[in-house]
Amino acid sequence: MSQLPPEIFLSNATQQTNALQSSQRLFESDVVFTGVDTALLAEALGASVEWDAATEQFETAEPIVSSDAVSDPTTVTNRGRVPTVIDVGERLVSSLDEPLVVGVVPGPLTTIETTFGNAAALDAEYTKPVRTAIGELGRAFGKAGVDAILVYEDVGQLNGGEAAEAIVETLQVLDNITGFYDTPLMLAPNGYDETTVDIVLDQGEPAAALLDTDDPAAVAVEHPDVRIGGGITANLLDAEPSEITARVEERCRDLPASAFLASGRELPSDVHPNALHAVREGYTDA
């Protein structure tokens, strides 16, 4: 969509907005997300991040070694690439009529890991500034008028009961803030173990969860009070277009009322457009 280097593109609201609008017109998607940037808040909190061509995302080059060195979490919306992301959300809301606009916020565990690196822990000196920063970004998206907020995780090391408690607390704070703007919360819990997912969906009560699963119907049965999205996975997109369409039709027929077809992860950049069109065809035929 753009000839700019990714690190420049992701700091340019005009380029990002134009690319997302073009993608929406090409694939006729029902929802448009602002960019997935797992190091977004880590940078704003003071960690040094760099673009990694191998992973195709920003990675932490120098984490913060002490919680005392964290930049003021109440002003993260003024630093790094955060103002750009908020600007993109505002522009999409004002320029798109049909599709829903979703603001993407890096999750608490992801932000703890990307901000503090190997020093990451689940005590208050780490969780509190991260929770505040996430709340401020959620507030900014709410003011921008987005239709929903997605808390996107990509967790490496943190999991278990303490992690679930930290996630639930963050979701509750974010929900209190965005409730004023009537902005539903969604969660993409990539990297959570199964126990953590169950606790968070039961106690955090997000409006929806996007899961990297080929069987969203099964998860929906276990969590009927949460809208479960899934079914569009890397495994599905590797198939031939005709097979993709057939699988999507089958999955749509199996979905209960509390589930919907979605991808739980950011799709890799090398996915062929034909695969996405095959998904759309299967969804329409179903």
Side-chain angles (χ1 to χ4, degrees), residues 45-229:
L45 288 169
S48 174
V49 305
E50 296 178 353
W51 179 258
D52 188 321
T55 62
E56 295 187 322
Q57 63 183 15
F58 282 99
E59 302 282 2
T60 304
E62 294 183 18
I64 299 173
V65 296
S66 168
S67 59
D68 295 333
V70 176
S71 299
D72 182 0
T74 65
T75 58
V76 292
T77 55
N78 300 325
R79 293 193 296 273
R81 296 182 309 283
V82 178
T84 300
V85 170
I86 297 169
D87 191 3
V88 170
E90 292 174 342
R91 295 186 188 208
L92 291 172
V93 168
S94 64
S95 61
L96 295 176
D97 295 326
E98 289 293 330
L100 301 178
V101 176
V102 176
V104 180
V105 178
L109 301 191
T110 297
T111 302
I112 290 171
E113 290 184 358
T114 54
T115 303
F116 301 103
N118 292 332
L122 287 166
D123 51 51
E125 65 176 321
Y126 296 108
T127 59
K128 185 176 180 179
V130 165
R131 187 165 60 241
T132 300
I134 289 173
E136 291 302 316
L137 180 52
R139 189 194 311 275
F141 274 138
K143 289 180 180 178
V146 301
D147 297 289
I149 290 174
L150 173 66
V151 179
Y152 187 90
E153 292 274 35
D154 188 11
V155 181
Q157 61 184 16
L158 299 175
N159 249 302
E162 284 187 311
E165 182 179 349
I167 301 158
V168 169
E169 288 177 353
T170 301
L171 291 178
Q172 289 171 341
V173 167
L174 192 54
D175 187 51
N176 288 335
I177 291 171
T178 59
F180 177 80
Y181 302 99
D182 194 23
T183 311
L185 292 178
M186 301 189 293
L187 175 67
N190 296 309
Y192 291 9
D193 60 36
E194 187 174 333
T195 300
T196 303
V197 170
D198 287 338
I199 294 173
V200 170
L201 294 188
D202 288 340
Q203 298 183 12
E205 298 181 331
L210 305 185
L211 304 177
D212 189 29
T213 174
D214 286 306
D215 190 6
V219 184
V221 170
E222 294 295 323
H223 301 280
D225 295 329
V226 180
R227 292 293 307 277
I228 299 297

Side-chain angles (χ1 to χ4, degrees), residues 18-50:
N18 290 343
L20 290 167
Q21 290 172 327
S22 297
S23 296
Q24 192 279 327
R25 287 193 294 268
L26 177 62
F27 299 113
E28 300 179 332
S29 57
D30 298 320
V31 181
V32 175
F33 294 81
T34 60
V36 174
D37 187 344
T38 54
L40 182 70
L41 291 177
E43 180 186 46
L45 288 169
S48 174
V49 305
E50 296 178 353

